[in-house]
Amino acid sequence: MRADGHAPGRPAPGGQDADQRTTEELLREGAREIAEVAEGVRAVAERTADALLAPPRKDSARHPRTGLTARWALLRALTDPRCLGAPAGPARRRLTRLLGARRGGEPLAALTAVTSLRLRIAAVLAGHPELARDPGIRRLTAALGTQGDREAVRALRTLFQDPGAQRALAALAPVLAELLTVRSLLDAEPRGETEPDPGAEHGAAEAVDLTDRERQTLATEGSLLGFLRNIDILAPEGRVLVQNVRGPDGVVRYVVQAPGTSPGRPRHGSPRDVVGAWREQLTADSPYTRALRPAIEDHGIPRGAELALIGHGEGGTALLNLARDAAFCRAYRLTHVIAVGSPAPAGRPADPRTWTGHLTNEHDLVPAATTADPHPGRYEARYTGPTRAFPESHLLREYIGHLRTVAPEAREHIDEALTPYRGPVVRSQAYQLKDPARPPEGHPFLTLPTASVPTTTGPVGVPVRYQDSAAAHLCFPVDTEAVRALLPDVPWMRPSGIGRHTLAVLSLYEHRCSTLGPYTEIALSVPVDDLWRPRPADLATDVLRRADLRRTGRYVLSLAVTTEEARVAARELWGLPAVRAAAEVQLTGHRLRLSAPGLGIAVLGRLGPGVRCPEPDWALYGRRGESTVRTAIRTSGRPRLHAGAGVRLRLDTAAAEPMAGQLRRLGIDTARPLFVVACPQFMVHRAAGAVLPR
């Protein structure tokens, strides 16, 4: 008998011999089995708690000693750390009120679920090692790597209650199912979710105008690819589109098109946010689903009209949940629901006549963690795309390309099912969904007007908002003449400093949640004087002014980022010399670590005691052609000033240009910084660069 419970040579479940299965598949199977055990243990603990808290029966009243012995045994089973530990959910809270401060040990079900979560993470990393650099995975593995299961449970409970960590964890679609299970077993709802929700009865939606460019690019004929392209066009700003389509029979029908959540993107107070992805899996009455109803009602769709719902990612899950609403299906004739790259919620449409289509890329980890509920009206199409990397495998533009090349049969089958909607579009209206029960994410600092700016990788909303970031600025004293040699060869740009010395700043950023997605940023910059009227000691006096009134700034000599979207934004919006390179940075706690093998740079050290310092708002300068680009950066956090004695910068002997070469020419290739300004969590908004005639 083998470790998996099967005799040698006997096929394992699924028709594949266990010896031939991959490590990833074995780990997934083990995680699934242990998760089922955790649920069973939880059910036993809840039944035990119910028996303990139930009123005494008549027969035990006649024999009080016997009844007391039984209740004492139940109490020991629930409070002894060597037994069940404690129940989860309402039974745990009732037991807490009964016993006061004595809550017993950590639930055995939670300890078991943590083991399942460890196996699931190992399985994901075995198939996708690139995810080891994801901020959410790193914070999760750090919590799981504490000494002992009980300490890991406590660390996870703290992690689930940290709003900043929730944003990072909510983007971890590969382990979403296990995270939801562990969170419920830990009885650790995020702060605010257990409070009464004044907007629970309804959502809100506001009709918004489309730009001329968007109107020109929206599909004019009904088709699956046309509807998906519409979603991709409006997705950056999180808008839902409702279109009137005149079918081949002359009847006007309606199509609702809902986008999903891209990793790390805040959504202007919309219920379609990264944390909302958790709620879509927990309840059919999620904020996203509630906000869709007023958009449909505002569009003026007649009662009884035929309606199709098409969504991507979280949007598809919200639409599938909406299809389960019996009242909604009585108001409209819901003919089709099509979800692309969406986790499948439990349950079936309320109207058995509704045709459901579910399209999944095998390499997309978002829907991979869920199992669909099969029924006669459901069409399931799974294919293997050419890109294994995540999150690229989840992007809607990848699905659109695959439907043309890899999965044309699925496209033809769904288009055939959508025949009543294959006609000219006679009206298009976009809606911005709102969640009136909650303030916009990052309010009030990130609540500001935005505009969409086209780039070569797609439109970018400016100002670019960073909702959850960490940073460390390493400041080195350097020779002013060495800095002057690295600046552009123009007479009016000169380094700002005192005498023969100035500062070079090596900035390390970990952007865990931003409108450009999560990425790491490494920048080398030097302070420069006013471009028109430089004055002595400009840098020292300018610090006392507001950031938007400062005449000095930092000129960025070199910049490295880890994503293509961030590289294009840096070059086209801010005129910075950005390159794309792999890097891993850890800025939480007192440890400081950077590993960038492609750049040949490493930073390692420990920050000592620090003191509070002002917000590091600044203006950055870059170059675009013959002009200078000035970008204002505003931050909100609690930065601290540390001595740099415990931090060391190291360069590889074969390190390539430009950053490593510039560091050498500045003489700081092995130096320790004079001081470090660090902030483990803060928010930023960065406006589009202003072109100066210099």
Side-chain angles (χ1 to χ4, degrees):
M1 187 71 68
R2 294 188 306 219
D4 60 357
H6 298 281
R10 182 178 299 175
Q16 187 179 18
D17 190 90
D19 289 335
Q20 299 176 351
R21 286 183 292 173
T22 64
T23 302
E24 180 182 358
E25 292 171 340
L26 291 172
L27 290 171
R28 289 181 188 273
E29 182 179 334
R32 184 168 52 252
E33 292 178 355
I34 294 177
E36 293 173 356
V37 172
E39 289 291 346
V41 173
R42 174 184 184 176
V44 171
E46 290 179 348
R47 289 197 297 270
T48 304
D50 291 340
L52 174 63
L53 299 173
R57 299 176 56 183
K58 293 182 179 179
D59 54 352
S60 63
R62 290 195 298 267
H63 303 282
R65 181 175 299 177
T66 304
L68 182 61
T69 302
R71 288 180 178 273
W72 178 249
L74 292 173
L75 182 61
R76 286 183 56 193
L78 285 172
T79 58
D80 193 331
R82 296 170 296 180
C83 300
L84 294 173
R92 182 181 178 93
R93 289 189 285 272
R94 289 168 59 197
L95 189 64
T96 301
R97 288 195 297 269
L98 177 66
L99 300 178
R102 184 182 179 186
R103 297 182 58 176
E106 295 295 345
L108 178 60
L111 299 175
T112 308
V114 165
T115 302
S116 172
L117 181 58
R118 285 194 178 107
L119 289 176
R120 175 66 174 175
I121 292 175
V124 170
L125 295 180
H128 293 268
E130 73 278 1
L131 289 179
R133 297 189 297 270
D134 185 274
I137 284 284
R138 291 212 306 272
R139 298 182 74 170
L140 191 58
T141 52
L144 293 173
T146 54
Q147 297 295 323
D149 287 346
R150 300 186 188 280
E151 288 74 14
V153 167
R154 297 187 183 99
L156 282 175
R157 184 178 288 113
T158 302
L159 200 62
F160 289 142
Q161 293 175 346
D162 179 4
Q166 291 170 38
R167 301 185 190 100
L169 297 181
L172 297 183
V175 292
L176 179 61
E178 279 73 14
L179 284 175
L180 293 172
T181 300
V182 172
R183 192 185 71 169
S184 62
L185 291 174
L186 295 181
D187 192 25
E189 294 296 319
R191 291 169 184 160
E193 288 195 11
T194 57
E195 300 173 0
D197 190 348
E201 298 82 10
H202 62 279
E206 177 186 358
V208 294
D209 294 331
L210 295 168
T211 65
D212 292 338
R213 180 177 179 274
E214 290 171 341
R215 290 187 179 278
Q216 294 172 1
T217 53
L218 288 180
T220 58
E221 293 282 334
S223 67
L224 175 62
L225 288 181
F227 296 139
L228 294 182
R229 280 196 298 268
N230 293 343
I231 296 174
D232 196 38
I233 291 171
L234 301 184
E237 296 301 321
R239 291 166 291 174
V240 169
L241 184 68
V242 183
Q243 289 185 313
N244 301 19
V245 180
R246 190 179 303 278
D249 55 359
V251 177
V252 175
R253 298 176 176 86
Y254 305 86
V255 185
V256 178
Q257 300 150 60
T261 300
S262 298
R265 296 176 181 263
R267 295 301 176 187
H268 320 298
S270 168
R272 189 188 69 94
D273 55 21
V274 289
V275 182
W278 293 46
R279 305 185 190 113
E280 298 295 339
Q281 300 299 311
L282 292 172
T283 174
D285 190 32
S286 65
Y288 193 173
T289 304
R290 288 197 303 267
L292 286 167
R293 296 190 185 98
I296 296 173
E297 295 170 358
D298 182 80
H299 195 72
I301 301 176
R303 292 184 66 86
E306 295 187 359
L307 181 67
L309 309 177
I310 301 175
H312 168 246
E314 184 196 349
T317 305
L319 294 176
L320 290 168
N321 284 331
L322 187 61
R324 296 164 56 192
D325 187 344
F328 180 83
C329 291
R330 286 194 299 268
Y332 308 102
R333 169 69 178 94
L334 184 56
T335 61
H336 299 77
V337 183
I338 299 172
V340 177
S342 304
R348 302 182 181 184
D351 188 344
R353 299 172 296 174
T354 301
W355 188 90
T356 304
H358 199 199
L359 183 67
T360 303
N361 176 6
E362 294 284 359
H363 292 324
D364 184 357
L365 298 179
V366 172
T370 60
T371 303
D373 183 14
H375 58 85
R378 181 180 185 86
Y379 170 70
E380 182 79 20
R382 303 184 72 90
Y383 68 93
T384 303
T387 303
R388 185 179 179 86
F390 182 85
E392 286 79 3
S393 58
H394 179 62
L395 297 179
L396 182 55
R397 62 173 177 265
E398 293 291 321
Y399 273 98
I400 294 173
H402 297 163
L403 286 170
R404 292 195 187 97
T405 57
V406 181
E409 300 85 0
R411 185 196 71 228
E412 295 170 359
H413 188 94
I414 297 177
D415 267 334
E416 183 179 356
L418 288 173
T419 298
Y421 298 87
R422 302 292 301 277
V425 175
V426 296
R427 181 193 172 196
S428 298
Q429 179 62 59
Y431 294 90
Q432 187 75 62
L433 303 186
K434 304 291 183 181
D435 188 356
R438 302 175 186 276
E441 292 196 55
H443 179 78
F445 180 73
L446 295 181
T447 308
L448 67 168
T450 61
S452 182
V453 177
T455 67
T456 54
T457 57
V460 174
V462 293
V464 178
R465 285 135 289 149
Y466 299 84
Q467 193 175 19
D468 183 14
S469 297
H473 304 278
L474 284 62
C475 301
F476 299 87
V478 295
D479 183 71
T480 302
E481 292 303 319
V483 172
R484 194 188 306 273
L486 297 177
L487 291 174
D489 189 16
V490 290
W492 37 261
M493 182 174 287
R494 68 182 197 184
S496 179
I498 299 176
R500 298 178 54 186
H501 291 88
T502 184
L503 290 176
V505 183
L506 182 64
S507 301
L508 315 178
Y509 295 94
E510 182 183 26
H511 300 303
R512 297 182 286 259
C513 179
S514 79
T515 51
L516 292 177
Y519 70 97
T520 297
E521 178 179 355
I522 308 169
L524 176 62
S525 60
V526 292
V528 293
D529 286 335
D530 183 357
L531 303 184
W532 277 270
R533 288 178 292 180
R535 298 178 178 87
D538 257 354
L539 180 63
T541 58
D542 227 19
V543 173
L544 303 178
R545 298 190 181 100
R546 286 177 8 206
D548 52 340
L549 297 179
R550 290 175 187 165
R551 300 178 181 275
T552 61
R554 295 209 316 261
Y555 184 83
V556 179
L557 298 174
S558 54
L559 174 70
V561 294
T562 54
T563 66
E564 181 64 16
E565 190 174 13
R567 186 193 70 83
V568 171
R571 284 185 172 272
E572 299 183 12
L573 295 181
W574 306 311
L576 303 180
V579 297
R580 185 177 179 182
E584 185 175 343
V585 62
Q586 182 177 350
L587 305 176
T588 55
H590 290 281
R591 301 290 303 177
L592 187 64
R593 186 174 68 86
L594 165 70
S595 176
L599 301 174
I601 299 175
V603 175
L604 185 64
R606 183 176 181 85
L607 298 175
V611 296
R612 283 291 307 276
C613 63
E615 301 286 356
D617 296 340
W618 208 262
L620 291 184
Y621 287 115
R623 293 283 288 174
R624 184 186 299 158
E626 298 299 321
S627 302
T628 301
V629 181
R630 181 183 186 272
T631 305
I633 298 178
R634 301 300 301 271
T635 64
S636 175
R638 299 174 63 88
R640 298 184 70 85
L641 181 67
H642 304 263
V647 179
R648 179 175 289 277
L649 168 70
R650 297 184 182 277
L651 297 184
D652 188 350
T653 54
E657 298 284 349
M659 188 176 294
Q662 292 171 346
L663 289 170
R664 285 197 184 91
R665 286 193 286 275
L666 292 174
I668 55 176
D669 48 338
T670 59
R672 295 181 184 271
L674 179 64
F675 59 89
V676 178
V677 178
C679 192
Q681 187 171 15
F682 67 103
M683 295 185 293
V684 188
H685 60 76
R686 184 183 296 190
V691 179
L692 305 179
R694 272 294 197 179

